[in-house]
Amino acid sequence: MTLQTPQPPPSALRAVLGALDSETALRQPAAAALRHPTGPLLPAHPLAVHVLDGPHPELPAARRTGWRFLIKHGPDVAAAAEVVQSAEGHTFSHFTAGPYLSSTVRALREAWQLAQGSRSRCQPRLLTFPGQYATALWLHSPDAGPGADLLIPLAPAPLGVTAHRAYPAAELLPLLTRAPLAGPPPLLLGSS
């Protein structure tokens, strides 16, 4: 499989560049690493963000909500910037930091390794599962049909799911689309 990096709409890139120049946007807590750069901040690795929810979700039902760009500071990824679709094209939503950054970079490396030596093409996307607090790198194969799609869960992954393992979508979807996670069972007073 060859990995085809998607080309974001120009309005998505403009929204990210505008946020990187905005003192207000850079005040967000997740943008702390972007406030005093020693060199240029570059948006890289744009990934279309899709959400999969509902009672019986399937990959064709995933709806695209925007784009996420990894923000590079030199060779390192310092944060991610997310833009959402709007009437004007795209609008900056927020910066993110934390474990999903390095996990996304690792999943992209794994996807490039999977792509070596294969003849089919695939498009990397981000797929979120709100009910499970999970995100996966979705390797969509438009030529081979939905049965050929792979999902690489990002860390931290929900219980029962191994992060950074490439799963066939049909194998992982039942695990990530089960009922939303519930809180801990109620504490019964007086029980031993």
Side-chain angles (χ1 to χ4, degrees):
M1 114 181 66
T2 56
L3 211 57
Q4 287 189 315
T5 304
Q7 189 69 1
S11 63
L13 182 57
R14 277 194 305 273
V16 171
L17 292 172
L20 290 172
D21 284 337
S22 166
E23 289 183 31
T24 303
L26 291 173
R27 284 189 201 125
Q28 293 181 6
L34 306 176
R35 289 188 196 123
H36 304 290
T38 56
L41 297 171
L42 302 172
H45 308 294
L47 295 168
V49 177
H50 291 75
V51 174
L52 192 60
D53 51 13
H56 303 289
E58 297 179 3
L59 285 180
R63 56 189 162 78
R64 187 169 72 197
T65 58
W67 290 82
R68 185 174 299 165
F69 293 76
L70 298 179
I71 306 300
K72 294 187 82 169
H73 180 232
D76 300 321
V77 173
E82 193 155 324
V83 298
V84 294
Q85 293 176 334
S86 66
E88 300 82 38
H90 289 84
T91 304
F92 172 73
S93 174
H94 60 277
F95 288 110
T96 59
Y100 278 134
L101 291 179
S102 59
S103 189
T104 302
V105 171
R106 179 178 169 186
L108 284 168
R109 276 193 211 116
E110 292 165 346
W112 282 106
Q113 289 173 348
L114 287 170
Q116 300 301 315
S118 177
R119 293 184 183 157
S120 63
R121 66 184 178 102
C122 75
Q123 302 164 347
R125 303 171 171 180
L126 281 180
L127 184 62
T128 63
F129 300 86
Q132 295 297 322
Y133 306 104
T135 302
L137 184 65
W138 173 13
L139 302 178
H140 174 61
S141 299
D143 300 332
D149 288 1
L150 297 175
L151 298 173
I152 302 173
L154 302 183
L159 289 175
V161 174
T162 304
H164 296 287
R165 176 183 161 216
Y167 288 87
E171 181 183 334
L172 186 62
L173 281 176
L175 298 174
L176 291 178
T177 57
R178 58 188 175 226
L181 294 175
L187 178 63
L188 299 175
L189 298 176
S191 61
S192 48

